[in-house]
Amino acid sequence: MALEFKPAWLFVPGDRPDRYTKAAERSDIVILDLEDAVNDADKAAAREAIIDYPLDPTRTVVRVNARDSDHLGEDLAMLTQTEYTAVMLPKSQHANDLTILSGYQVIALIETALGAVNAAEIAAAPNAYALMWGSEDLIADLGGGSSRKADGDYRDIAKHVRSQTLLAARAYGKYALDSIWADIPNLEGLALEAEDAVQSGFSGKVSIHPNHVPVVRDAFRPSDEQLTWARAVLDLAKTEKGAFAYEGKMIDAPLLKHAELIVARDV
């Protein structure tokens, strides 16, 4: 069964099946993580847990290990014993990295310099479902120390790759996912970043803590005022020819598209 896109995603360690159900209840889409969240010694147990404790395939993604990992072959064998059709591939660097996951909806993680340079090529891959950028892995690949400055703002290189990932995904009609917010107790900062993600054009945002999910949902959910405006504009567009005025503002094709996107976020 195909993944049904919704905006609030949540990582859960693959070796913690006791958290699976709660994560599914609290988020839109669960990412069962076999990569960074699981030690090498525990990866076999994590694969068994994913088989033994199935979740809804339309709301679940499995993050496998990277293309060059010794664990990937076993991850792929495990997937054939499940109904999951959506897979997150870390450190995606070329479009052909996705060919090993033919038949799956692939969320390609852009988190290396080479992956960032090739983001458009990756987004164009036939089975690329979405692109997500990873801030800290990117900085580590570049040889840096942190993706953020002391004031919490992203460094310029991180902003560049964030934008590059968004542009590449949208250029090829794929979903774009914003990176995680690592400062777990700082919900105010998360709210500001999630709002920026919405207004910039990201489709959703991934979280590492369940307390972040409601904040992300609030950011992506349009307000009553926005919905009223958008629905009124779209209703008028059915009878108006060309551009028209509404509430003192000229409504043309870009604003009609904006209204459509607002209504689409009402989930």
Side-chain angles (χ1 to χ4, degrees):
M1 289 179 280
L3 188 71
E4 297 177 1
F5 189 90
K6 292 182 180 179
W9 297 41
L10 178 64
F11 276 115
V12 63
D15 62 345
R16 293 298 306 270
D18 54 306
R19 297 183 182 178
Y20 288 9
T21 300
K22 183 176 290 187
E25 290 171 350
R26 298 184 67 173
S27 66
D28 294 335
I29 293 177
V30 176
I31 308 167
L32 301 176
D33 192 5
L34 286 170
E35 194 211 14
D36 288 346
V38 182
N39 294 326
D40 284 359
D42 298 321
K43 289 187 188 291
R47 284 189 286 267
E48 288 299 320
I50 290 174
I51 294 170
D52 293 341
Y53 298 90
L55 297 176
D56 180 355
T58 68
R59 296 181 53 238
T60 308
V61 173
V62 178
R63 177 160 78 166
V64 296
N65 287 278
R67 180 72 186 265
D68 60 356
S69 167
D70 293 337
H71 299 284
L72 181 59
E74 292 173 278
D75 294 347
L76 298 180
M78 176 272 298
L79 283 171
T80 65
Q81 300 179 61
T82 74
E83 295 185 0
Y84 298 130
T85 61
V87 179
M88 181 175 282
L89 182 65
K91 300 174 179 64
S92 300
Q93 301 195 120
H94 298 279
N96 62 14
D97 288 347
L98 279 61
T99 58
I100 197 168
L101 293 167
S102 177
Y104 290 96
Q105 298 169 287
V106 181
I107 296 88
L109 264 170
I110 307 301
E111 50 187 353
T112 66
L114 188 55
V117 169
N118 292 331
E121 169 198 324
I122 294 166
N127 60 333
Y129 176 80
L131 264 59
M132 174 184 165
W133 77 291
S135 55
E136 296 311 318
D137 281 287
L138 169 70
I139 295 299
D141 185 66
L142 293 171
S146 172
S147 66
R148 296 182 188 268
K149 295 179 284 188
D151 63 2
D153 194 21
Y154 277 123
R155 300 187 188 281
D156 288 345
I157 185 61
K159 290 180 180 179
H160 174 77
V161 175
R162 184 179 190 241
S163 299
Q164 183 83 353
T165 301
L166 173 60
L167 287 167
R170 289 314 208 184
Y172 287 94
K174 309 300 171 67
Y175 295 110
L177 291 166
D178 199 18
S179 189
I180 62 106
W181 176 259
D183 188 359
I184 291 174
N186 184 4
L187 299 185
E188 182 178 347
L190 169 61
L192 291 172
E193 185 164 285
E195 176 64 18
D196 179 76
V198 173
Q199 299 305 327
S200 297
F202 280 95
S203 318
K205 188 169 180 63
V206 179
S207 297
I208 55 172
H209 195 281
N211 287 348
H212 290 185
V213 172
V215 180
V216 171
R217 279 184 175 147
D218 285 346
F220 278 86
R221 185 184 299 114
S223 67
D224 291 342
E225 183 179 23
Q226 289 175 316
L227 281 171
T228 298
W229 174 85
R231 287 169 177 157
V233 165
L234 294 175
D235 284 343
L236 279 172
K238 296 174 184 176
T239 56
E240 297 287 344
K241 295 182 179 179
F244 59 92
Y246 178 69
E247 293 185 340
K249 182 179 289 188
M250 188 60 66
I251 306 297
D252 55 8
L255 284 177
L256 283 175
K257 179 65 174 178
H258 184 54
E260 291 172 353
L261 292 171
I262 289 173
V263 172
R265 294 204 329 262
D266 184 28
V267 293

